[in-house]
Amino acid sequence: MLITAERNRSKKLKPGLAVVNGTRRALALAAVVAGFSALAIAPASAETLIKVTQGDDYAYLYQNSWYDIVYVCDVEADGHGVYVKVWKESGYDEFGDANGSASPCSSRSYSIGDVTSIQVCESVTGPDWCSDRRYR
């Protein structure tokens, strides 16, 4: 204690200032830890329901609290376009990865619970190469 008081006098600090600075650091650290904990919990409210692949290309159905979201990703720089077939309670839809093998993937949102199955396909000469159709 005598050494700390002597240091405080030599630095012209008020006694107890080291405790205040230590408390601030501890509070800042606690805030950072709490922030990371909240981020770790957030994805639990969302879920990937279906994933299908054709080679390295893929599509998946993701669901959050408000929407069904379908993603299609062309990751092979082979010049073949990639698209996803989407079967819904309310009909059928189809869309491709708009930018080819560049990032990001393409996506569309649908009413929650509307998507029943998906299939990913690669456009080639002749019949397209498609994954199996997967149901939720």
Side-chain angles (χ1 to χ4, degrees), residues 1-11:
M1 186 66 151
L2 182 60
I3 295 171
T4 304
E6 188 62 38
R7 280 192 208 146
N8 286 343
R9 272 189 237 122
S10 68
K11 293 182 182 179

Side-chain angles (χ1 to χ4, degrees), residues 11-94:
K11 293 182 182 179
K12 297 183 182 180
L13 296 174
K14 296 179 183 176
L17 188 58
V19 173
V20 171
N21 285 340
T23 303
R24 287 183 184 158
R25 283 188 200 113
L27 289 173
L29 179 61
V32 169
V33 169
F36 282 121
S37 297
L39 287 175
I41 293 170
S45 63
E47 183 180 4
T48 299
L49 301 175
I50 305 170
K51 182 174 181 181
V52 290
T53 60
Q54 167 52 48
D56 291 331
D57 304 318
Y58 62 93
Y60 62 96
L61 169 62
Y62 171 87
Q63 186 178 67
N64 63 26
S65 299
W66 305 278
Y67 302 104
D68 282 352
I69 305 167
V70 175
Y71 292 86
V72 61
C73 301
D74 182 351
V75 294
E76 301 171 349
D78 58 6
H80 300 149
V82 174
Y83 62 97
V84 63
K85 297 178 180 183
V86 182
W87 286 269
K88 310 176 301 167
E89 293 286 341
S90 62
Y92 174 83
D93 193 18
E94 189 174 288

